[in-house]
mmCIF file of all heavy atoms in Angstrom:
data_model
loop_
_atom_site.group_PDB
_atom_site.id
_atom_site.type_symbol
_atom_site.label_atom_id
_atom_site.label_comp_id
_atom_site.label_asym_id
_atom_site.label_seq_id
_atom_site.Cartn_x
_atom_site.Cartn_y
_atom_site.Cartn_z
ATOM 1 N N THR A 168 81.704 141.303 66.987
ATOM 2 C CA THR A 168 81.609 142.564 66.294
ATOM 3 C C THR A 168 82.558 143.617 66.818
ATOM 4 O O THR A 168 83.193 143.366 67.941
ATOM 5 C CB THR A 168 80.176 143.156 66.353
ATOM 6 O OG1 THR A 168 79.968 143.640 67.632
ATOM 7 C CG2 THR A 168 79.131 142.100 65.975
ATOM 8 N N ASP A 169 82.678 144.759 66.242
ATOM 9 C CA ASP A 169 83.546 145.834 66.757
ATOM 10 C C ASP A 169 83.052 146.368 68.083
ATOM 11 O O ASP A 169 83.797 146.999 68.820
ATOM 12 C CB ASP A 169 83.606 146.971 65.731
ATOM 13 C CG ASP A 169 84.356 146.588 64.490
ATOM 14 O OD1 ASP A 169 85.094 145.618 64.505
ATOM 15 O OD2 ASP A 169 84.216 147.214 63.374
ATOM 16 N N GLY A 170 81.812 146.102 68.367
ATOM 17 C CA GLY A 170 81.285 146.663 69.622
ATOM 18 C C GLY A 170 81.413 145.702 70.795
ATOM 19 O O GLY A 170 81.000 146.035 71.882
ATOM 20 N N GLU A 171 82.061 144.584 70.558
ATOM 21 C CA GLU A 171 82.194 143.597 71.712
ATOM 22 C C GLU A 171 83.092 144.186 72.765
ATOM 23 O O GLU A 171 84.132 144.687 72.574
ATOM 24 C CB GLU A 171 82.858 142.339 71.152
ATOM 25 C CG GLU A 171 83.010 141.256 72.259
ATOM 26 C CD GLU A 171 83.501 139.939 71.677
ATOM 27 O OE1 GLU A 171 83.859 139.884 70.424
ATOM 28 O OE2 GLU A 171 83.560 138.874 72.370
ATOM 29 N N GLY A 172 82.555 144.125 74.016
ATOM 30 C CA GLY A 172 83.292 144.591 75.231
ATOM 31 C C GLY A 172 83.345 146.122 75.397
ATOM 32 O O GLY A 172 83.978 146.644 76.272
ATOM 33 N N LYS A 173 82.548 146.860 74.491
ATOM 34 C CA LYS A 173 82.601 148.372 74.604
ATOM 35 C C LYS A 173 81.327 148.935 75.220
ATOM 36 O O LYS A 173 81.187 150.145 75.146
ATOM 37 C CB LYS A 173 82.825 148.910 73.222
ATOM 38 C CG LYS A 173 84.169 148.520 72.612
ATOM 39 C CD LYS A 173 84.396 149.176 71.256
ATOM 40 C CE LYS A 173 85.792 148.769 70.661
ATOM 41 N NZ LYS A 173 86.010 149.441 69.357
ATOM 42 N N GLY A 174 80.518 148.084 75.786
ATOM 43 C CA GLY A 174 79.345 148.695 76.415
ATOM 44 C C GLY A 174 79.500 148.811 77.876
ATOM 45 O O GLY A 174 80.530 148.467 78.513
ATOM 46 N N PRO A 175 78.420 149.273 78.563
ATOM 47 C CA PRO A 175 78.533 149.391 80.080
ATOM 48 C C PRO A 175 78.625 148.005 80.713
ATOM 49 O O PRO A 175 78.143 147.001 80.161
ATOM 50 C CB PRO A 175 77.190 150.058 80.443
ATOM 51 C CG PRO A 175 76.297 149.765 79.222
ATOM 52 C CD PRO A 175 77.192 149.710 78.072
ATOM 53 N N LYS A 176 79.167 147.988 81.852
ATOM 54 C CA LYS A 176 79.442 146.703 82.555
ATOM 55 C C LYS A 176 78.780 146.743 83.950
ATOM 56 O O LYS A 176 78.649 147.774 84.504
ATOM 57 C CB LYS A 176 80.828 146.398 82.688
ATOM 58 C CG LYS A 176 81.550 146.286 81.344
ATOM 59 C CD LYS A 176 83.086 146.003 81.441
ATOM 60 C CE LYS A 176 83.749 145.733 80.130
ATOM 61 N NZ LYS A 176 83.481 146.745 79.096
ATOM 62 N N PRO A 177 78.387 145.567 84.485
ATOM 63 C CA PRO A 177 77.798 145.519 85.834
ATOM 64 C C PRO A 177 78.857 145.902 86.857
ATOM 65 O O PRO A 177 80.060 145.968 86.647
ATOM 66 C CB PRO A 177 77.352 144.108 85.983
ATOM 67 C CG PRO A 177 78.175 143.348 85.016
ATOM 68 C CD PRO A 177 78.449 144.209 83.823
ATOM 69 N N ALA A 178 78.293 146.320 88.005
ATOM 70 C CA ALA A 178 79.211 146.727 89.069
ATOM 71 C C ALA A 178 80.084 145.620 89.598
ATOM 72 O O ALA A 178 79.746 144.384 89.394
ATOM 73 C CB ALA A 178 78.360 147.249 90.237
ATOM 74 N N PRO A 179 81.285 145.915 90.098
ATOM 75 C CA PRO A 179 82.145 144.848 90.667
ATOM 76 C C PRO A 179 81.431 144.041 91.669
ATOM 77 O O PRO A 179 80.713 144.540 92.556
ATOM 78 C CB PRO A 179 83.334 145.686 91.218
ATOM 79 C CG PRO A 179 83.280 146.997 90.498
ATOM 80 C CD PRO A 179 81.852 147.240 90.175
ATOM 81 N N GLY A 180 81.652 142.715 91.575
ATOM 82 C CA GLY A 180 81.034 141.790 92.568
ATOM 83 C C GLY A 180 79.651 141.346 92.178
ATOM 84 O O GLY A 180 79.073 140.485 92.856
ATOM 85 N N CYS A 181 79.125 141.861 91.025
ATOM 86 C CA CYS A 181 77.789 141.495 90.613
ATOM 87 C C CYS A 181 77.671 139.998 90.247
ATOM 88 O O CYS A 181 76.654 139.383 90.404
ATOM 89 C CB CYS A 181 77.345 142.411 89.469
ATOM 90 S SG CYS A 181 75.582 142.122 89.039
ATOM 91 N N ALA A 182 78.776 139.505 89.749
ATOM 92 C CA ALA A 182 78.741 138.103 89.273
ATOM 93 C C ALA A 182 78.439 137.144 90.338
ATOM 94 O O ALA A 182 77.872 136.037 90.156
ATOM 95 C CB ALA A 182 80.098 137.753 88.598
ATOM 96 N N GLU A 183 78.801 137.483 91.629
ATOM 97 C CA GLU A 183 78.507 136.617 92.806
ATOM 98 C C GLU A 183 77.135 136.695 93.247
ATOM 99 O O GLU A 183 76.671 135.829 94.050
ATOM 100 C CB GLU A 183 79.508 136.933 93.891
ATOM 101 C CG GLU A 183 80.906 136.486 93.661
ATOM 102 C CD GLU A 183 81.665 137.389 92.675
ATOM 103 O OE1 GLU A 183 81.329 138.538 92.614
ATOM 104 O OE2 GLU A 183 82.582 136.930 91.948
ATOM 105 N N LEU A 184 76.439 137.654 92.804
ATOM 106 C CA LEU A 184 74.974 137.873 93.324
ATOM 107 C C LEU A 184 74.005 137.064 92.494
ATOM 108 O O LEU A 184 74.288 136.700 91.343
ATOM 109 C CB LEU A 184 74.648 139.328 93.273
ATOM 110 C CG LEU A 184 75.461 140.264 94.221
ATOM 111 C CD1 LEU A 184 75.156 141.704 93.967
ATOM 112 C CD2 LEU A 184 75.314 139.840 95.726
ATOM 113 N N PRO A 185 72.811 136.761 93.003
ATOM 114 C CA PRO A 185 71.767 135.962 92.254
ATOM 115 C C PRO A 185 71.404 136.628 90.962
ATOM 116 O O PRO A 185 71.581 137.885 90.790
ATOM 117 C CB PRO A 185 70.675 135.910 93.269
ATOM 118 C CG PRO A 185 71.222 136.221 94.548
ATOM 119 C CD PRO A 185 72.397 137.124 94.399
ATOM 120 N N ALA A 186 70.936 135.867 90.038
ATOM 121 C CA ALA A 186 70.604 136.375 88.699
ATOM 122 C C ALA A 186 69.482 137.345 88.689
ATOM 123 O O ALA A 186 69.439 138.245 87.819
ATOM 124 C CB ALA A 186 70.145 135.128 87.805
ATOM 125 N N ASP A 187 68.639 137.374 89.735
ATOM 126 C CA ASP A 187 67.518 138.372 89.770
ATOM 127 C C ASP A 187 67.952 139.648 90.493
ATOM 128 O O ASP A 187 67.095 140.584 90.723
ATOM 129 C CB ASP A 187 66.285 137.755 90.458
ATOM 130 C CG ASP A 187 66.535 137.263 91.866
ATOM 131 O OD1 ASP A 187 67.796 137.284 92.325
ATOM 132 O OD2 ASP A 187 65.651 136.880 92.602
ATOM 133 N N ASP A 188 69.133 139.782 90.890
ATOM 134 C CA ASP A 188 69.633 140.996 91.574
ATOM 135 C C ASP A 188 69.654 142.200 90.542
ATOM 136 O O ASP A 188 70.002 141.938 89.389
ATOM 137 C CB ASP A 188 71.007 140.801 92.110
ATOM 138 C CG ASP A 188 71.436 141.982 93.121
ATOM 139 O OD1 ASP A 188 71.923 142.971 92.548
ATOM 140 O OD2 ASP A 188 71.177 141.818 94.295
ATOM 141 N N PRO A 189 69.222 143.337 90.941
ATOM 142 C CA PRO A 189 69.148 144.490 90.027
ATOM 143 C C PRO A 189 70.508 144.862 89.361
ATOM 144 O O PRO A 189 70.519 145.529 88.335
ATOM 145 C CB PRO A 189 68.652 145.624 90.867
ATOM 146 C CG PRO A 189 67.877 144.987 91.982
ATOM 147 C CD PRO A 189 68.606 143.700 92.204
ATOM 148 N N CYS A 190 71.639 144.439 89.991
ATOM 149 C CA CYS A 190 72.905 144.778 89.425
ATOM 150 C C CYS A 190 73.107 144.182 88.085
ATOM 151 O O CYS A 190 73.979 144.585 87.277
ATOM 152 C CB CYS A 190 74.064 144.488 90.380
ATOM 153 S SG CYS A 190 74.436 142.693 90.483
ATOM 154 N N HIS A 191 72.384 143.080 87.772
ATOM 155 C CA HIS A 191 72.529 142.411 86.454
ATOM 156 C C HIS A 191 71.675 143.147 85.320
ATOM 157 O O HIS A 191 71.876 142.818 84.151
ATOM 158 C CB HIS A 191 72.033 141.032 86.515
ATOM 159 C CG HIS A 191 72.922 140.148 87.412
ATOM 160 N ND1 HIS A 191 74.120 139.606 86.997
ATOM 161 C CD2 HIS A 191 72.739 139.697 88.673
ATOM 162 C CE1 HIS A 191 74.632 138.919 88.014
ATOM 163 N NE2 HIS A 191 73.824 138.937 89.001
ATOM 164 N N THR A 192 70.923 144.089 85.692
ATOM 165 C CA THR A 192 69.980 144.665 84.776
ATOM 166 C C THR A 192 70.602 145.786 83.935
ATOM 167 O O THR A 192 71.106 146.801 84.527
ATOM 168 C CB THR A 192 68.764 145.307 85.524
ATOM 169 O OG1 THR A 192 68.063 144.299 86.235
ATOM 170 C CG2 THR A 192 67.772 145.925 84.563
ATOM 171 N N LEU A 193 70.565 145.613 82.636
ATOM 172 C CA LEU A 193 71.003 146.797 81.767
ATOM 173 C C LEU A 193 69.798 147.672 81.616
ATOM 174 O O LEU A 193 69.951 148.916 81.782
ATOM 175 C CB LEU A 193 71.389 146.211 80.391
ATOM 176 C CG LEU A 193 71.790 147.247 79.369
ATOM 177 C CD1 LEU A 193 73.133 147.945 79.789
ATOM 178 C CD2 LEU A 193 71.832 146.754 78.006
ATOM 179 N N ILE A 194 68.605 147.116 81.385
ATOM 180 C CA ILE A 194 67.383 147.996 81.318
ATOM 181 C C ILE A 194 66.199 147.069 81.660
ATOM 182 O O ILE A 194 66.069 145.926 81.107
ATOM 183 C CB ILE A 194 67.177 148.726 79.998
ATOM 184 C CG1 ILE A 194 66.049 149.657 80.020
ATOM 185 C CG2 ILE A 194 67.052 147.729 78.817
ATOM 186 C CD1 ILE A 194 65.967 150.589 78.856
ATOM 187 N N ASN A 195 65.335 147.555 82.470
ATOM 188 C CA ASN A 195 64.068 146.978 82.745
ATOM 189 C C ASN A 195 62.989 147.980 82.345
ATOM 190 O O ASN A 195 62.602 148.868 83.001
ATOM 191 C CB ASN A 195 63.975 146.692 84.244
ATOM 192 C CG ASN A 195 62.741 145.880 84.613
ATOM 193 O OD1 ASN A 195 62.132 145.170 83.710
ATOM 194 N ND2 ASN A 195 62.346 145.931 85.890
ATOM 195 N N LEU A 196 62.432 147.703 81.191
ATOM 196 C CA LEU A 196 61.553 148.659 80.511
ATOM 197 C C LEU A 196 60.138 148.211 80.444
ATOM 198 O O LEU A 196 59.849 147.041 79.957
ATOM 199 C CB LEU A 196 62.118 148.948 79.040
ATOM 200 C CG LEU A 196 61.285 149.733 78.128
ATOM 201 C CD1 LEU A 196 61.107 151.191 78.663
ATOM 202 C CD2 LEU A 196 61.863 149.788 76.711
ATOM 203 N N TYR A 197 59.187 149.030 80.871
ATOM 204 C CA TYR A 197 57.729 148.749 80.731
ATOM 205 C C TYR A 197 57.155 149.689 79.717
ATOM 206 O O TYR A 197 57.551 150.875 79.667
ATOM 207 C CB TYR A 197 57.074 148.893 82.073
ATOM 208 C CG TYR A 197 57.385 147.775 83.088
ATOM 209 C CD1 TYR A 197 58.499 147.863 83.937
ATOM 210 C CD2 TYR A 197 56.616 146.636 83.177
ATOM 211 C CE1 TYR A 197 58.868 146.920 84.858
ATOM 212 C CE2 TYR A 197 56.893 145.686 84.087
ATOM 213 C CZ TYR A 197 58.039 145.766 84.940
ATOM 214 O OH TYR A 197 58.332 144.783 85.834
ATOM 215 N N TYR A 198 56.213 149.187 78.953
ATOM 216 C CA TYR A 198 55.617 150.047 77.931
ATOM 217 C C TYR A 198 54.177 149.697 77.810
ATOM 218 O O TYR A 198 53.695 148.597 78.063
ATOM 219 C CB TYR A 198 56.344 149.889 76.548
ATOM 220 C CG TYR A 198 56.300 148.483 76.042
ATOM 221 C CD1 TYR A 198 55.410 148.179 75.071
ATOM 222 C CD2 TYR A 198 57.144 147.541 76.588
ATOM 223 C CE1 TYR A 198 55.409 146.892 74.518
ATOM 224 C CE2 TYR A 198 57.153 146.277 76.050
ATOM 225 C CZ TYR A 198 56.268 145.903 75.002
ATOM 226 O OH TYR A 198 56.222 144.602 74.539
ATOM 227 N N THR A 199 53.311 150.708 77.350
ATOM 228 C CA THR A 199 51.880 150.538 77.296
ATOM 229 C C THR A 199 51.226 151.531 76.307
ATOM 230 O O THR A 199 51.863 152.494 75.961
ATOM 231 C CB THR A 199 51.252 150.640 78.655
ATOM 232 O OG1 THR A 199 49.852 150.275 78.585
ATOM 233 C CG2 THR A 199 51.355 152.005 79.168
ATOM 234 N N HIS A 200 50.034 151.220 75.948
ATOM 235 C CA HIS A 200 49.230 152.122 75.104
ATOM 236 C C HIS A 200 48.295 152.883 76.020
ATOM 237 O O HIS A 200 47.457 152.243 76.744
ATOM 238 C CB HIS A 200 48.429 151.241 74.097
ATOM 239 C CG HIS A 200 47.689 151.989 73.084
ATOM 240 N ND1 HIS A 200 46.970 151.435 72.032
ATOM 241 C CD2 HIS A 200 47.466 153.341 72.895
ATOM 242 C CE1 HIS A 200 46.409 152.306 71.234
ATOM 243 N NE2 HIS A 200 46.697 153.514 71.770
ATOM 244 N N LEU A 201 48.337 154.191 75.980
ATOM 245 C CA LEU A 201 47.605 155.040 77.042
ATOM 246 C C LEU A 201 46.211 155.354 76.562
ATOM 247 O O LEU A 201 45.421 155.799 77.543
ATOM 248 C CB LEU A 201 48.369 156.283 77.254
ATOM 249 C CG LEU A 201 49.759 156.064 77.975
ATOM 250 C CD1 LEU A 201 50.452 157.448 78.074
ATOM 251 C CD2 LEU A 201 49.500 155.598 79.434
ATOM 252 N N ASN A 202 45.755 155.271 75.342
ATOM 253 C CA ASN A 202 44.447 155.736 74.953
ATOM 254 C C ASN A 202 43.320 155.031 75.621
ATOM 255 O O ASN A 202 42.354 155.664 76.038
ATOM 256 C CB ASN A 202 44.262 155.565 73.440
ATOM 257 C CG ASN A 202 45.165 156.592 72.695
ATOM 258 O OD1 ASN A 202 46.380 156.707 72.892
ATOM 259 N ND2 ASN A 202 44.520 157.374 71.778
ATOM 260 N N PRO A 203 43.348 153.700 75.897
ATOM 261 C CA PRO A 203 42.208 153.063 76.573
ATOM 262 C C PRO A 203 42.089 153.672 77.973
ATOM 263 O O PRO A 203 43.007 153.673 78.689
ATOM 264 C CB PRO A 203 42.592 151.581 76.609
ATOM 265 C CG PRO A 203 43.505 151.365 75.418
ATOM 266 C CD PRO A 203 44.278 152.718 75.411
ATOM 267 N N PRO A 204 40.863 154.069 78.437
ATOM 268 C CA PRO A 204 40.709 154.716 79.687
ATOM 269 C C PRO A 204 41.229 153.833 80.892
ATOM 270 O O PRO A 204 41.796 154.353 81.848
ATOM 271 C CB PRO A 204 39.245 154.962 79.871
ATOM 272 C CG PRO A 204 38.840 155.066 78.387
ATOM 273 C CD PRO A 204 39.637 154.117 77.610
#
């Protein structure tokens, strides 16, 4: 698409770090329904 390669990129050197390293994270989002006490 026209958007290929135009987004944010991981920090330099992130490719050498393990897959679970935070530098690979674009977003880590948690969500919930607050009404239940």
Side-chain angles (χ1 to χ4, degrees):
T168 71
D169 292 340
E171 183 175 5
K173 296 184 179 179
K176 296 176 175 56
C181 186
E183 287 76 29
L184 297 175
D187 58 353
D188 191 274
C190 74
H191 294 282
T192 301
L193 179 69
I194 186 170
N195 187 23
L196 172 64
Y197 289 87
Y198 59 101
T199 186
H200 187 175
L201 290 173
N202 289 53

